[in-house]
Amino acid sequence: MTTFTDFILLRNTNYKGALYDKFPKIYNVYFIAIISCLSGLMFGFDISSMSSMIGTEGYIEYFGTPDSTTQGGITASMAAGSLGGALVSPKFSDAFGRRVSLHLCAAFWIIGAIIQCASQNVGMLVAGRVISGIGIGFGSSTAPVYCSEVSPPKIRGTIAGIFQFSVTLGIMILFYIGYGCHFIQSDAAFRVTWGLQLVPGVILLIFTFFLPESPRWLATHDRFDEAKFVVAKVGAKGDIHDPEVKLQCQEIREQALIDKEADAFTYFDLFRKKTIRKTIVGMSAQMWQQLCGMNVMMYYIVYIFQMAGYSGNTLLVSGSIQYVLNVVMTIPALFLVDKVGRRPILIIGGIFMFSWLFAVAGLLATYSVPAPNGFNGDDTVRIRIPDSEPAAAKGVIACCYLFVCSFAPTWGIGIWIYCSEIFNNVERAKGSALSASVNWAFNFALAMFVPSAFKNITWKTYIIFGVFSVALTIQTFLMFPETKGKTLEEIDMMWAANIPAWKTASFEPVLPEIDLSTDDQKQGSQDFDSNVNHVEDEKQVVYHNDIADDVSSL
């Protein structure tokens, strides 16, 4: 029986999703990924909503020429909301399913976009961005997990990677919208730009009703027949006798029997002995995605090109090329990530990224001259390459473009895939949410820090991010296991085997023995609920004793 306390804490809920059952379902895995990853499009919209406006006269005049600290706070407010949304989203995602979290993402985003569009002052703008950020927090922690849980193992990387592709597409689309609107000589320039952010939120709000629930969520809520149906519809056009479908269902069934303790799993449990390695990897991966310097390029591209001596219309056009490259270079990675693997892509990407960052720092250190008064009343950028050094200016721009081409197909797409698949069923919602919250925490910190860094240490800012990229490359080699081609359950076996990260590509899991006869399959399905009820109390006791032992040994 669910008590009032259980309801408030979202425990022991018996949510069936009756409203969702009233709508027909579309089981095409690419449609599922595109709709759920609209939250990534929103993320991209947010990044460009600032970068496309901070250099326009309408924005600067209406909001009183924000200084570096104020602009940092405006930019970071979205990340602050996203951090909170990411941390609370697992409660809803575990209790009510992945679709409810996607709907909350859409609702918060729409409300925040309306407030931003109607902003009368900096305070109202910040409030709108925080509310929209909460929605992004729900989406960024739920969508990659949902895609990983729904998609067949052979194309899981491609499907989960659509989230990052959506981010890059959103950045490009809204930047060009902002570029077009900057010709409007009034506050309508930013109001139209921010108002159009409503579009993906409304689409997500409507079309989520047509998505099936995650089969792994259904299995952990004693709804295995529904889970088997979804797996078959998505992976084999409804053929429940397909061998790969039977293998997936068997693994999901066995894992669900183990994972009945999900309601009792907390963020603290992510740091128990058996889980702490993957938690460190997930948190580190999201941290490095921010500290590698990419979002600095995206949020403050205007400042970077000002340093290189560009201004006016040329500034915006030159900056937009970077967004196009980000989209174009993400596309091949959608297909390579399941062929080449996660580790090689991340390691190679790290090497290229720190090379271009050090090159930018070297060019600015050698050829730039002081610009103490900044540009157009903004004193954030205090150096620039003079017109007498056009080759150096072009070199900086080329290195920025090459950095984007290195990031997009590696750390851009790889991390959201990786963090959605390294945790097991019990850990996945909270593990992915905690990892995403780290991303948003560093996103917030960098949004606050970078304008002041450009102002105070100028080109040395790139040295800092270059060193971070060196560090992430080393940690990837030492700690990040290969997950290519493995089911989510096989990845959990790999963690349990405690294999060194550089040897995991050749890991061969011990697969469950499956009798593919129809009678046995039917019997297994019929026995599922009784098995769960039989083992639940015993496993809860074992689980809590296990946690106590793990915590005491930390």
Side-chain angles (χ1 to χ4, degrees):
M1 179 178 179
T2 302
T3 66
F4 178 75
T5 302
D6 286 336
F7 177 78
I8 294 297
L9 297 177
L10 302 182
R11 297 184 311 201
N12 301 326
T13 55
N14 189 26
Y15 180 73
K16 295 296 184 183
L19 178 61
Y20 292 98
D21 293 339
K22 298 181 183 298
F23 294 83
K25 298 296 177 286
I26 299 175
Y27 294 95
N28 182 283
V29 69
Y30 293 99
F31 174 85
I32 292 170
I34 289 169
I35 296 302
S36 60
C37 289
L38 283 171
S39 56
L41 195 76
M42 299 171 190
F43 184 4
F45 272 25
D46 158 57
I47 294 173
S48 281
S49 70
M50 279 292 102
S51 63
S52 63
M53 287 292 111
I54 58 177
T56 62
E57 292 184 7
Y59 173 86
I60 293 171
E61 292 177 2
Y62 193 89
F63 292 104
T65 314
D67 58 24
S68 59
T69 302
T70 302
Q71 184 56 55
I74 294 171
T75 304
S77 58
M78 178 74 77
S82 300
L83 172 61
L87 287 173
V88 302
S89 66
K91 281 287 186 182
F92 294 87
S93 187
D94 282 340
F96 302 116
R98 313 316 189 204
R99 295 175 298 184
V100 170
S101 284
L102 291 175
H103 264 139
L104 288 171
C105 165
F108 279 114
W109 175 262
I110 290 170
I111 294 169
I114 291 172
I115 295 173
Q116 290 177 69
C117 183
S119 292
Q120 301 299 306
N121 50 50
V122 170
M124 191 172 177
L125 174 59
V126 168
R129 287 178 61 78
V130 169
I131 294 172
S132 287
I134 294 172
I136 293 298
F138 270 87
S140 64
S141 62
T142 302
V145 168
Y146 175 64
C147 288
S148 290
E149 292 180 337
V150 171
S151 62
K154 290 183 178 179
I155 59 170
R156 190 177 62 244
T158 299
I159 298 304
I162 291 176
F163 180 84
Q164 177 62 22
F165 176 74
S166 298
V167 174
T168 64
L169 189 63
I171 292 171
M172 185 184 72
I173 290 172
L174 204 72
F175 187 89
Y176 278 114
I177 290 173
Y179 172 70
C181 289
H182 96 279
F183 292 104
I184 302 174
Q185 300 300 316
S186 69
D187 61 345
F190 60 82
R191 296 196 191 283
V192 172
T193 302
W194 297 342
L196 288 173
Q197 294 181 119
L198 288 165
V199 175
V202 172
I203 295 174
L204 180 62
L205 190 71
I206 294 172
F207 280 92
T208 296
F209 285 111
F210 299 93
L211 301 181
E213 186 52 83
S214 158
R216 286 171 174 82
W217 184 87
L218 290 168
T220 55
H221 287 72
D222 302 344
R223 296 162 65 179
F224 187 76
D225 286 340
E226 295 175 61
K228 183 170 61 175
F229 177 80
V230 173
V231 170
K233 291 289 287 185
V234 171
K237 299 181 179 180
D239 181 8
I240 62 173
H241 303 300
D242 181 87
E244 291 191 10
V245 169
K246 290 187 174 183
L247 177 60
Q248 278 186 266
C249 290
Q250 179 74 4
E251 290 179 332
I252 291 172
R253 179 190 291 114
E254 292 183 354
Q255 191 67 40
L257 289 171
I258 299 171
D259 291 350
K260 286 301 295 180
E261 68 270 16
D263 288 342
F265 194 85
T266 67
Y267 280 114
F268 178 76
D269 296 328
L270 288 170
F271 296 92
R272 58 180 175 151
K273 184 177 179 180
K274 292 183 179 179
T275 317
I276 191 168
R277 283 179 57 232
K278 63 180 80 172
T279 302
I280 291 173
V281 168
M283 293 174 66
S284 298
Q286 292 284 15
M287 175 186 74
W288 291 131
Q289 195 193 50
Q290 289 296 319
L291 293 182
C292 73
M294 181 57 175
N295 272 11
V296 174
M297 297 283 193
M298 289 301 175
Y299 277 121
Y300 299 110
I301 185 66
V302 171
Y303 294 158
I304 295 169
F305 280 83
Q306 283 176 345
M307 290 182 194
Y310 288 79
S311 60
N313 192 50
T314 305
L315 174 69
L316 291 174
V317 173
S318 300
S320 72
I321 296 174
Q322 185 160 262
Y323 298 128
V324 175
L325 290 173
N326 196 24
V327 173
V328 171
M329 292 303 295
T330 300
I331 295 173
L334 291 172
F335 306 98
L336 289 175
V337 71
D338 281 323
K339 295 183 180 297
V340 178
R342 283 43 159 176
R343 275 176 57 83
I345 283 177
L346 295 177
I347 292 172
I348 292 170
I351 294 171
F352 277 114
M353 287 190 300
F354 71 67
S355 300
W356 305 128
L357 286 166
F358 288 144
V360 170
L363 287 168
L364 290 175
T366 304
Y367 295 102
S368 67
V369 296
N373 297 322
F375 298 84
N376 298 324
D378 184 353
D379 64 350
T380 300
V381 177
R382 294 191 170 190
I383 60 171
R384 67 173 296 166
I385 294 177
D387 295 339
S388 60
E389 300 288 352
K394 292 177 181 177
V396 169
I397 301 307
C399 289
C400 289
Y401 290 161
L402 288 168
F403 178 92
V404 173
C405 291
S406 302
F407 171 88
T410 59
W411 281 80
I413 193 170
I415 292 309
W416 293 104
I417 298 171
Y418 200 67
C419 291
S420 68
E421 61 188 9
I422 61 175
F423 298 98
N424 66 29
N425 286 0
V426 170
E427 305 154 356
R428 190 167 299 117
K430 289 186 173 64
S432 296
L434 181 62
S435 299
S437 71
V438 171
N439 185 299
W440 290 113
F442 279 91
N443 189 313
F444 174 85
L446 290 177
M448 292 294 293
F449 157 76
V450 170
S452 296
F454 280 151
K455 181 177 180 179
N456 295 311
I457 62 175
T458 60
W459 60 267
K460 299 181 184 69
T461 304
Y462 292 95
I463 295 291
I464 294 174
F465 290 108
V467 172
F468 285 149
S469 289
V470 171
L472 68 85
T473 304
I474 295 171
Q475 189 189 11
T476 300
F477 177 79
L478 295 175
M479 293 189 66
F480 286 34
E482 181 57 72
T483 57
K484 181 194 74 169
K486 300 176 177 66
T487 68
L488 299 178
E489 289 70 28
E490 289 168 0
I491 293 170
D492 199 43
M493 296 179 199
M494 181 174 64
W495 282 109
N498 202 29
I499 298 170
W502 55 91
K503 294 182 179 180
T504 51
S506 59
F507 172 75
E508 293 291 341
V510 178
L511 298 177
E513 295 183 3
I514 305 173
D515 186 339
L516 297 180
S517 67
T518 304
D519 292 340
D520 287 344
Q521 189 75 6
K522 289 180 178 179
Q523 184 63 41
S525 177
Q526 293 170 356
D527 290 344
F528 177 79
D529 287 341
S530 61
N531 287 342
V532 167
N533 293 332
H534 179 71
V535 302
E536 181 175 2
D537 293 337
E538 180 180 353
K539 284 190 175 294
Q540 284 286 64
V541 173
V542 172
Y543 169 71
H544 287 293
N545 289 338
D546 184 39
I547 291 177
D549 292 340
D550 291 341
V551 171
S552 65
S553 64
L554 289 177

